[in-house]
Each structure stands twice: as structure tokens, then as C-alpha cells.
């Protein structure tokens, strides 16, 4: 099953490679991994999207907790949460397609950030499935470039990952 | 007063009460060696290869409850140390390794003798640090010792660039450490402990399976009390030998690939299993699916949550420091009016005795013509009264030592279990002998393994270490040969040790005593002669039966009851 794991870790050189190294050394899947500092400059927040059996996910959580630089870990998928990913996508936009692409972008609540004679560059945010369906709706032929950030996640309501 | 980073480094070691520093100098650690030269509290032991420095620090740690400490230079010094570090990591041995690094301004420029020490060691250390500022040396070393020793122990690497060791700052050694992201477990959960107690009392076919955690936590007394109180059978892993006395009647021997038949059968057929500081290694329970075929309830006590439910499903997990958990469990059991059922226990023990008879315990057919390796170990046991420190290398000789030397005390059996590092035995023995001068330290090795760190005979000479080396020379990489015999149609591909040196002459060349032993009748006299030479290192080259195999054996991937027993019985 797909899991979104959030963690707080010391904002130190090498901390990221400890996490990435753990996943490759133990053969765990990584669908995406994002990391950036938080309001507390000493901490980074990381979101890892992974998949595996219950036993594997349990080990992943334990192994992450075991890393000395990791302060706290939460498996967001175990409760109510919000998942968002940002995509920047450049499309070939010519002739009749231009109108159609604009319409699709509106339906998906995207924004056209840049326009040239032959291209549109679109920004889209949402859960992974939404971004996937946008790509499907456009069709591979018109896509020139795709940049996705990977998922970030946060718990709903009182589910807070803190020190 | 301002001090250099190098002086601070040595001062920190003094503050930590470090007796011995095992190391090898080089460019990046010249300042540290200079600081070392100008003091006399920390004694440096100059090895002949950095791998040996780490193994020696490791042997020192395993035979005591102290942190082993080593110092190596950058680049090749560090890479040579990696095997030793990984060895300590796999067996959870507390250790601090200090490595030199190229100056901070040269890092990343492919400078002379530069390697990414933190990157290379990351997967085989508990934690590591690159110290970029002289002001951080003291606090980093304090953390390193704390991390190495607390929780599940392990090696910690501190990489110090050359310029950092030359810079100056005030020396302040922190009184305490607080790492917000690291809180090693203490007591176990009381509700879980009560549940474990209930389960133990209701067992019909109980089994106590204990491992290296008992030795590491110093919980042998608690384990022994528990086993005796309950009247249950107890087995030890290779790493746990001595954690429970081998001469006790409730002890069923080591379990696992080369464990006794009765230990493995009891493990397979028990209905309640309590795992104490043991991690269900693949060499221990064999095939997990086969193991899971028999339904049983499992209680697992370990300080590391990731050891629990890693390979088998656990019913009552207890995360905590063993000594504390066992103390509490003992209290609960003593206070309880319920006792294990007498009739059930009698039935279970008679079953175990039956297995004992079938499997023959540990027996081999001795010979008056050719030296049987098991006989050498039995003789060693007899002559040392079971009280020696025994280090070992890796291979058949390691298994025979584990099987036939009956360890009654923890920290006497020093071997590389998790990584299985050939070349461990002799340097580890150096660390043990330094920690325990005047005690008998025997290194059981093979003609293959000993050659992986034989240069340390020179270190032994320099520091007057009267280690007794027992080489079970079968002329083969015996453990490899055994697998080739069993599983590869007797095709002995590259497992024959050709062109062996004359080990007696090798020993003599290094200034030691060498004895070659060819006949069974000479085994005991030779050993007596060796042990009577209190001040000498004696290298005993026993020419043993090259065809002898280690039994019992649970072939890799098989279940615990699918065991191959010796045809000799
Ligand atoms: C050639 C060869 C053959 C082998 N054959 C066998 C064999 O037949 N049988 C066998 O048993 N092994 C065998 N081994 C060794 C095997 O590979 C493992 O190293 C060994 O079984 C692991 O032992 P253990 O489970 O006791 O764990 P260890 O590696 O000793 O781990 C200790 C456990 O205790 C925990 N712990 C540590 N400190 C504490 C504390 N204070 N409180 C609570 N918990 C703590 C740790 O978290 C860890 O989970 C063999 C090795 C070699 C090289
Ligand atoms: C560094 C290293 N290389 C290879 C091995 C694989 N290996 C395990 S046992 C063994 C043979 C050891 O031979 P020897 O020391 O003569 O012991 P014996 O088995 O003959 O008693 C080998 C090569 C290992 N464990 N360690
Ligand atoms: Mg051999």
C-alpha cells in the first residue's frame, strides 16, 4: 500500500543522505521525497512517499526513528491528512489546441504561467491522482516537459508533527 | 587556556577514561599524534594495519563494558578501518573511531588521501560526524561516546580535518549530553511485562532464547534467575554464549545453523517463545516460513524496536533495557501465585531429553591417528577450566570453538558473528589481553583466517602480549570446503590452501614461540607446554583432519528441524 511518511530532522549536512541511504540500503521503495527547512531553522521537514506491506512499512518507520538525526516521524496515511504536489508542465500549444488546453487547465484549476507562440507553461497543484489525470487528459503528444515536486503532506485538524 | 584541536581531542579521551588508543599514524592525524606524544595518560598501541586497530579496540570493548577507541589517518587509513567498523556495527559493539581528514579547505578537491569518510561509513556506523570547527570537537566527542555506549551500542566515527586539529580554542568538556532526537529506551512497558508473565505461566512447551543483548546489557544474572525460577529450557545464540552458563542442566546448547539438535527442535516446537536480546537472525531460525508453520506465541524483549517483528511476527513486544525489563519481569513472576504446570513441564522436558538422545548432543568420533579439531577445543576447555578468554576467527574452527568450549561467563567468547570477518581473531585477542593482563587469552583460528592479519604478530611482540594461538590447520578454507562438499558436488573450487608457510618459523621470525602438533597424543602436552609459558606468545599449529565437517547443520534456507546430523553417531 502507498504511505506518506512525514518526518522532522536536524537541519544538518548529511541528514538527507542518511535517509536516502537507508531506503536504498534496505531496498525500500521511494516514490518521491521532498525536503525543506521549517519555521524553526534547526529543523527540516521531509515527506517520503513509499509503498510496501504492513511489515515493511512498520520497519521503515522504525528504521527512520532509529536515525540519530531524525527527531520525529509520522505516517500520515494512518489518519486524516492533506496531500499536495506542485507540477509545472510545458505543453505544445498551437492552433485549435490552444483553446482546448486553456479550457482543460481551468477545469483542473491550473494557471497558465507562461505563453509563447508555440507553448503554454502551466502550474497545477493537487494530490498525485489529480496531476496524473491532468497528464492523461492532455495526452502524451502535447507534453514537452514535466516537473513535479513530489508530494508534501500535513495532518488534518489536531494531527501535528512537532518536536 | 587555549588548546589546539589535537590537544583537545586527546584531553577528551582522558576525560572519558580511555586507557588504550589503537591506531596508526599518517599525514592527516600528525597533530593528534603530536598531542599524544606530549602526554602519558592515554596509551597508544601501534598496530600493523588499521583493520587490526579496530578489531583490537573491538576485542577490548567486548571483553569489558568499555568503549573501544581507535585512531586512523585519512584516505587509506580510513578505508582499511571500514571492515573493522562494519564488524563492530553488526555485533552492536560500542566504539569510537577518530579519523583524520584532509583540511577543510581541500575537502571536495580530490585532495591527497581524501575519501568521503562520513559517506563511506554511513551504512555501518551507529552515527558519524565531520567536525568542521575546532569549537565543536569536545562536544562532538562527548556525543560520540554517549551514542556508542547507550541504547543499542555501536561504532561512532568522528572525522577531524587536519586544519581543525591545528586550530585553537578554549577547552571545555561538557558535563552531560542531550540529543533531542535520541532517547534510548529505559524501562519496558509494565502492562506488556505483566502480559508476558501471564503467557509464560500458561505455557506448555516454553523456550527461552537469549542472545548478544544479554551480554551487552550485563544481564546474565537476571537471565539466569529467570530461567531457574521458571524451570524452562534456555538456548543461546552464537553471540549470547556465556550469557547463560553452559554447564547448567537447563541449558540446551547453542541453536541455529550449527546449533544442537535439542535446541533447534525445542525452538521449532515450543508453544511460547521468549526472545531476550536476540534478533531472529537467518543463521538462527533458518527458513522463516518453515519456522512459522508451528503456531507459537512470541514475547520479544529488545532495546531496539527495529529488531522486533523484523523477521517474525511478535505477540508481546517489549522495548526496553534488558536488565530493567528482566528485573521487573522477575518481580511480577515472584509475586504471582500462578506457577508453570508441573505435569506439562515434565512432559516437555522428557521430549527434550529424547531429542538430546537422538541428536547425540555434541559428539564426534575421536581418532588416535589424526587430530580431530573438536578434540583440540575440548582439550583447551579442560586445561583452562572453561575460564579463558577465547577469541576466534571465522570458519569451521569458530563453530567448533563455540560448540565445544563451554562458556559459563559472559564476555569470554569474542567472535565476529554478524559480519563473519576472517582476520578478526588475533587483533581482537590483543585488545582482550591488554584489558586483562595476566589472564589466559586463547585465539582459535584457521590457517586461512590467521593469514588475514598475521602481521599483528609484530604488534604482539612490541607490547609483550602472551596470546596463545591455536590454529586448527586443515589445509582448507574448511567452511567453504564443507559447503562445496554438501551443495556443489565436491567441486572444491579454490578452497584448498596451497603454499602455506611454515607457521612455526613465521612465529619465530616475529620473535615468538611456535609448536607444530601432528599427532592426537601430542595435543595435550603441547598445550600444557604453551600455557606454561606465561610470558610468551605461542603459536600452535595443529594439523587437523582436513575432511572433518561441522555438525549438526541446518542447510541455508532450510527449517530448523530439517537438520543434517553427523554420520559418525
Ligand atoms: C560461520 C558462521 C556461522 C554461524 N552460525 C550460527 C549458528 O549456528 N547459531 C547462531 O546463533 N549464530 C550463528 N552465527 C552468527 C549469526 O550470524 C548472528 O551473528 C547471531 O546469530 C546474532 O546473534 P543475536 O541474535 O544474539 O544478536 P546480536 O547481533 O548479538 O544482537 C543483539 C540484540 O540485542 C539487542 N540489545 C543490545 N543491547 C541491549 C540491551 N541493553 N537491552 C536490550 N536489548 C539489547 C540488540 O538491539 C540486538 O537486537 C554464525 C556466524 C558465522 C560467521
Ligand atoms: C574476509 C572474509 N573473506 C571470506 C570469507 C568467507 N569464508 C568464511 S569461512 C572461510 C574459510 C575460513 O578458512 P580457515 O580460516 O582456514 O578456517 P576453517 O573453516 O578451515 O576452520 C571463508 C573463506 C569470510 N568469512 N571473511
Ligand atoms: Mg582451514
Amino acid at each position: 500500500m502507498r504511505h506518506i511518511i512525514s518526518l522532522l530532522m536536524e537541519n544538518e549536512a548529511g541528514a538527507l543522505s542518511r535517509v536516502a541511504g537507508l531506503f536504498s540500503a534496505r531496498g525500500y521503495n521511494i516514490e518521491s521525497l521532498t525536503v525543506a527547512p521549517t519555521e524553526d531553522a534547526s529543523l527540516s521537514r521531509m515527506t517520503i512517499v513509499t509503498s510496501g506491506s504492513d511489515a515493511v512499512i512498520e520497519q521503515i518507520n522504525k528504521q527512520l526513528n532509529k536515525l540519530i538525526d531524525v527527531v520525529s516521524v509520522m505516517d500520515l496515511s494512518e489518519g486524516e491528512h492533506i496531500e499536495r504536489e506542485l507540477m509545472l508542465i510545458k505543453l505544445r500549444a498551437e492552433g485549435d489546441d490552444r483553446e482546448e488546453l486553456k479550457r482543460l487547465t481551468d477545469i483542473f484549476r491550473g494557471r497558465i504561467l507562461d505563453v509563447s507562440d508555440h507553448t503554454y507553461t502551466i502550474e497545477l497543484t493537487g494530490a498525485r491522482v489529480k496531476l496524473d489525470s491532468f497528464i492523461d487528459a492532455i495526452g502524451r503528444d502535447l507534453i514537452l516537459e514535466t516537473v513535479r515536486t513530489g508530494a508534501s503532506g500535513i495532518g488534518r485538524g489536531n494531527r501535528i508533527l512537532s518536536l | 587556556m587555549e588548546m589546539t584541536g589535537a590537544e583537545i581531542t586527546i584531553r577528551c579521551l582522558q576525560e572519558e577514561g580511555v586507557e588504550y588508543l589503537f591506531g596508526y599514524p599518517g599525514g592527516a592525524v600528525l597533530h593528534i599524534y603530536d598531542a599524544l606524544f606530549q602526554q602519558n595518560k592515554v596509551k597508544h598501541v601501534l598496530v600493523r594495519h588499521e583493520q587490526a586497530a579496530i578489531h583490537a579496540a573491538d576485542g577490548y570493548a567486548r571483553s569489558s563494558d568499555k568503549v573501544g577507541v581507535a585512531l586512523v589517518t585519512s584516505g587509506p587509513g580510513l578505508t582499511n578501518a571500514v571492515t573493522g567498523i562494519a564488524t563492530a556495527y553488526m555485533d552492536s559493539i560500542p566504539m569510537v573511531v577518530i579519523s583524520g581528514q584532509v583540511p577543510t579547505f581541500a575537502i571536495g578537491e580530490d585532495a591527497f588521501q581524501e575519501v568521503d569518510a562520513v559517506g563511506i561509513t554511513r551504512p555501518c556506523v551507529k552515527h558519524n560526524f565531520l567536525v568542521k570547527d575546532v569549537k565543536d570537537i569536545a562536544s562532538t566527542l562527548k556525543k560520540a561516546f554517549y551514542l556508542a555506549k547507550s541504547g543499542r551500542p555501536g561504532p561512532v566515527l568522528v572525522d577531524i580535518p587536519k586544519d581543525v586539529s591545528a586550530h585553537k580554542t578554549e577547552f571545555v568538556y561538557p558535563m552531560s549530553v542531550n540529543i533531542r532526537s535520541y532517547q534510548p529506551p529505559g524501562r519496558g512497558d509494565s502492562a506488556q511485562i505483566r502480559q508476558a508473565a501471564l503467557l509464560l505461566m500458561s505455557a506448555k512447551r516454553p523456550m527461552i532464547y537469549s542472545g548478544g543483548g544479554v551480554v551487552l546489557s550485563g544481564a546474565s544474572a537476571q537471565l539466569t534467575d529467570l530461567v531457574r525460577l521458571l524451570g524452562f529450557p534456555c538456548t543461546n545464540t552464537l553471540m549470547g554464549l556465556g550469557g547463560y552458563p553452559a554447564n547448567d542442566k537447563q541449558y540446551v546448547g547453542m541453536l541455529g545453523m550449527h546449533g544442537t539438535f535439542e535446541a533447534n527442535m525445542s525452538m521449532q516446537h515450543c508453544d511460547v517463545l521468549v526472545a531476550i536480546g536476540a534478533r531472529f537472525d537467518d543463521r538462527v531460525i533458518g527458513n522463516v516460513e518453515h519456522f512459522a508453520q508451528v503456531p507459537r506465541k512470541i514475547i520479544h524483549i529488545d532495546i531496539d524496536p527495529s529488531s522486533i517483528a523484523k523477521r517474525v511476527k511478535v505477540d508481546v513486544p517489549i522495548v526496553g533495557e534488558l536488565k530493567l525489563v528482566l528485573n521487573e519481569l522477575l518481580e511480577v513472576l515472584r509475586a504471582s501465585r500462578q506457577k508453570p504446570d508441573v505435569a506439562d513441564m515434565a512432559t516437555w522436558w522428557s521430549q527434550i531429553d529424547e531429542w538430546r538422545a537422538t541428536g547425540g548432543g555434541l559428539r564426534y568420533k575421536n581418532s588416535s591417528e589424526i587430530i580431530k579439531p573438536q578434540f583440540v577445543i575440548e582439550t583447551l576447555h579442560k586445561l583452562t577450566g572453561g575460564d579463558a578468554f577465547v577469541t576466534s576467527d571465522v570458519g569451521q574452527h569458530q563453530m567448533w570453538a563455540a560448540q565445544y568450549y563451554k562458556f559459563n561467563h559472559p564476555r569470554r567468547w569474542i567472535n565476529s558473528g554478524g559480519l563473519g570477518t576472517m582476520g578478526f581473531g588475533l587483533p581482537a585477542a590483543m585488545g582482550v589481553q591488554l584489558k586483562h593482563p595476566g589472564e589466559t587469552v586463547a585465539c582459535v583460528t584457521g590457517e586461512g583466517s590467521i593469514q588475514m592479519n598475521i602481521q599483528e604478530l609484530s604488534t604482539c611482540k612490541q607490547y609483550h602480549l602472551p596470546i596463545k594461538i591455536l590454529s586448527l590447520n586443515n589445509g582448507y578454507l574448511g567452511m567453504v570446503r564443507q559447503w562445496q562438499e554438501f551443495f556443489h558436488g565436491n567441486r572444491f573450487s579454490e578452497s584448498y590452501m596451497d603454499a602455506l608457510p611454515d607457521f612455526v618459523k613465521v612465529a619465530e621470525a616475529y620473535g615468538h614461540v611456535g609448536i607444530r602438533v601432528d599427532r592426537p597424543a601430542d595435543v595435550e602436552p603441547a598445550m600444557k607446554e604453551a600455557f606454561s609459558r606465561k610470558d610468551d606468545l605461542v603459536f600452535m599449529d595443529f594439523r587437523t583432519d582436513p575432511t572433518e565437517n561441522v555438525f549438526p547443520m541446518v542447510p541455508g534456507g532450510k527449517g530448523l528441524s530439517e537438520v543434517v546430523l553427523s554420520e559418525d553417531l
Side-chain angles (χ1 to χ4, degrees):
Chain A
M1 217 189 91
R2 180 171 179 266
H3 283 249
I4 305 177
I5 296 171
S6 259
L7 58 91
L8 284 172
M9 60 186 193
E10 300 291 351
N11 191 2
E12 283 188 23
L16 171 61
S17 54
R18 289 184 207 278
V19 174
L22 171 71
F23 274 73
S24 62
R26 295 191 182 261
Y28 303 142
N29 294 321
I30 290 192
E31 184 185 299
S32 68
L33 185 160
T34 68
V35 60
T38 66
E39 78 285 359
D40 176 344
S42 70
L43 289 173
S44 297
R45 168 112 175 197
M46 184 183 279
T47 310
I48 304 165
V49 181
T50 181
S51 58
S53 65
D54 288 353
V56 168
I57 298 295
E58 182 181 332
Q59 269 297 312
I60 290 178
N61 276 291
K62 287 173 169 177
Q63 294 290 348
L64 285 170
N65 263 308
K66 194 169 153 179
L67 293 176
I68 308 294
D69 283 338
V70 170
V71 183
S72 45
V73 181
M74 176 160 43
D75 186 343
L76 288 178
S77 340
E78 277 181 352
E80 294 274 297
H81 65 278
I82 299 165
E83 172 192 348
R84 284 293 177 274
E85 181 176 358
L86 170 69
M87 173 163 74
L88 300 175
I89 187 165
K90 189 172 292 181
L91 309 175
R92 186 183 309 118
E94 289 162 337
D96 293 347
D97 285 341
R98 287 178 85 90
E99 199 40 45
E100 176 61 11
L101 289 174
K102 166 131 187 24
R103 205 175 61 83
L104 270 174
T105 304
D106 288 342
I107 293 173
F108 278 86
R109 293 173 200 278
R111 290 203 301 149
I112 300 179
L113 298 181
D114 181 55
V115 177
S116 75
D117 287 353
H118 303 286
T119 65
Y120 280 167
T121 302
I122 293 161
E123 171 194 31
L124 198 66
T125 340
R128 181 186 67 164
V129 275
K130 174 176 159 187
L131 306 191
D132 288 348
S133 1
F134 183 73
I135 288 174
D136 289 344
I138 299 289
R140 294 289 150 107
D141 295 349
L142 295 182
I143 301 178
L144 299 172
E145 205 177 341
T146 311
V147 187
R148 297 173 67 154
T149 58
S152 293
I154 195 163
R156 282 192 186 272
N158 290 330
R159 288 190 85 209
I160 294 166
L161 178 65
S162 58
L163 275 181
Chain B
M1 199 192 73
E2 294 223 314
M3 290 166 63
T4 66
E7 289 162 348
I8 290 173
T9 303
I10 299 301
R11 269 296 294 278
C12 292
L13 301 187
Q14 294 174 352
E15 296 285 334
E16 288 292 329
V18 174
E19 254 183 304
Y20 289 105
L21 176 59
F22 301 89
Y24 208 91
V29 285
L30 276 173
H31 297 304
I32 302 179
Y33 272 87
D34 199 33
L36 195 60
F37 190 83
Q38 301 180 46
Q39 56 89 55
N40 53 17
K41 284 197 185 133
V42 178
K43 284 170 274 196
H44 183 269
V45 177
L46 179 68
V47 294
R48 302 311 189 245
H49 185 295
E50 288 87 351
Q51 182 188 349
I54 311 292
H55 290 330
D58 184 326
Y60 178 91
R62 289 185 204 232
S63 67
S64 61
D65 59 352
K66 295 203 152 183
V67 177
V69 190
L71 171 61
V72 298
T73 193
S74 68
L78 182 276
T79 52
N80 271 350
V82 169
T83 301
I85 297 173
T87 303
Y89 179 71
M90 290 296 278
D91 291 340
S92 307
I93 305 305
M95 180 185 292
V96 172
V97 179
I98 300 170
S99 53
Q101 181 54 280
V102 302
T104 43
F105 52 80
I107 289 179
E109 294 183 348
D110 300 318
F112 177 62
Q113 298 196 324
E114 176 182 5
V115 296
D116 174 8
V118 162
I120 284 184
T121 58
R122 196 195 312 114
C124 60
V125 291
K126 181 167 171 181
H127 198 59
N128 55 21
F129 300 92
L130 169 63
V131 188
K132 288 195 183 138
D133 187 335
V134 66
K135 292 195 187 71
D136 296 333
I137 291 184
S139 61
T140 305
L141 280 167
K142 180 83 190 177
K143 278 187 202 164
F145 276 90
Y146 170 61
L147 287 171
K149 187 93 175 59
S150 60
R152 179 176 183 169
V156 178
L157 177 94
V158 181
D159 199 31
I160 306 182
K162 186 166 184 180
D163 55 336
V164 175
S165 66
H167 293 158
K168 287 189 164 182
T169 190
E170 286 294 323
F171 173 69
V172 192
Y173 201 57
M175 302 292 278
S176 62
V177 222
N178 176 28
I179 304 175
R180 65 177 170 183
S181 55
Y182 174 76
Q183 275 99 29
R187 297 184 43 198
D189 183 89
S190 297
Q192 292 288 93
I193 292 175
R194 279 197 302 278
Q195 209 192 328
L198 284 178
L199 201 53
L200 289 171
M201 296 299 199
S202 69
K204 291 187 189 326
R205 300 185 311 279
M207 178 73 173
I208 295 177
Y209 149 56
S210 82
V214 172
V215 177
L216 291 165
S217 124
S220 290
Q222 284 80 358
L223 172 68
T224 308
D225 283 355
L226 181 77
V227 176
R228 300 238 167 99
L229 180 71
L230 291 166
F232 294 172
C234 176
T235 181
N236 284 337
T237 66
L238 182 73
M239 297 313 295
L241 296 180
Y244 188 81
N247 62 4
D248 189 87
K249 60 183 188 317
Q250 281 169 252
Y251 184 62
V252 293
M254 181 174 86
L255 84 168
M257 181 173 274
H258 293 298
T260 66
F261 186 64
E262 54 272 31
N264 286 336
M265 292 299 276
S266 314
M267 187 79 176
Q268 180 71 11
H269 295 284
C270 64
D271 69 341
V272 173
L273 176 65
V274 48
I276 306 179
R279 54 187 176 83
F280 291 92
D281 187 82
D282 53 291
R283 297 245 152 166
V284 168
I285 53 165
N287 184 318
V288 261
E289 273 95 51
H290 183 277
F291 185 64
Q293 280 167 12
V294 181
R296 65 176 85 65
K297 294 270 184 235
I298 298 180
I299 302 163
H300 194 171
I301 314 173
D302 203 290
I303 201 159
D304 179 357
S306 77
S307 279
I308 298 178
K310 181 166 63 176
R311 302 192 67 239
V312 299
K313 276 187 64 192
V314 170
D315 302 278
V316 186
I318 303 175
V319 176
E321 158 56 43
L322 265 188
K323 224 190 257 182
L324 303 178
V325 173
L326 290 183
N327 277 335
E328 190 172 339
L329 180 61
L330 280 164
E331 263 173 48
V332 174
L333 290 170
R334 286 192 182 116
S336 161
R337 259 171 295 139
Q338 211 187 338
K339 295 278 168 271
D341 187 273
V342 179
D344 284 341
M345 289 309 297
T347 318
W348 179 225
W349 272 110
S350 68
Q351 169 69 75
I352 294 171
D353 287 339
E354 215 171 280
W355 284 325
R356 249 184 197 141
T358 323
L362 287 172
R363 265 192 274 144
Y364 63 96
K365 208 187 262 161
N366 209 353
S367 156
S368 55
E369 305 294 316
I370 189 159
I371 300 177
K372 292 288 179 176
Q374 301 94 327
F375 173 62
V376 178
I377 306 295
E378 282 189 329
T379 310
L380 174 66
H381 182 258
K382 189 172 99 183
L383 295 186
T384 56
D387 276 336
F389 287 89
V390 179
T391 74
S392 141
D393 266 301
V394 172
Q396 292 182 313
H397 60 273
Q398 176 189 22
M399 293 299 109
W400 287 314
Q403 292 176 331
Y404 289 91
Y405 198 96
K406 309 289 178 194
F407 293 92
N408 293 323
H409 305 287
R411 299 196 180 279
R412 297 280 161 142
W413 167 239
I414 314 282
N415 84 135
S416 163
L419 200 66
T421 308
M422 289 170 70
F424 175 80
L426 177 58
M430 302 190 315
V432 177
Q433 187 78 77
L434 282 163
K435 181 68 200 144
H436 305 276
E439 300 255 9
T440 303
V441 179
C443 166
V444 175
T445 184
E447 81 298 334
S449 295
I450 192 67
Q451 293 188 83
M452 284 214 179
N453 266 322
I454 199 155
Q455 76 288 346
E456 295 309 314
L457 286 173
S458 174
T459 312
C460 294
K461 186 67 192 172
Q462 182 172 345
Y463 297 93
H464 311 290
L465 305 177
I467 296 162
K468 304 297 179 274
I469 298 174
L470 292 87
S471 179
L472 305 184
N473 183 348
N474 52 9
Y476 277 97
L477 299 173
M479 187 55 95
V480 175
R481 192 202 58 76
Q482 175 167 349
W483 283 58
Q484 289 170 336
E485 179 185 328
F486 288 12
F487 312 118
H488 297 276
N490 284 311
R491 290 180 297 280
F492 298 129
S493 178
E494 305 297 321
S495 55
Y496 177 63
M497 280 261 103
D498 210 343
L500 286 175
D502 178 336
F503 287 105
V504 172
K505 283 197 184 141
V506 170
E508 287 169 359
Y510 278 104
H512 302 300
V513 178
I515 307 178
R516 174 176 167 156
V517 191
D518 291 276
R519 293 182 313 137
D522 295 335
V523 168
E524 187 167 330
M527 236 186 262
K528 276 188 172 148
E529 153 83 14
F531 286 119
S532 72
R533 291 177 166 270
K534 290 271 176 260
D535 298 328
D536 294 320
L537 182 150
V538 184
F539 191 118
M540 288 163 266
D541 181 20
F542 294 101
R543 299 306 171 101
T544 60
D545 186 348
T547 63
E548 193 66 27
N549 288 321
V550 183
F551 291 108
M553 178 172 191
V554 179
K558 293 283 183 183
L560 281 181
S561 53
E562 300 172 306
V563 53
V564 184
L565 298 169
S566 165
E567 314 92 67
D568 290 352
L569 305 171

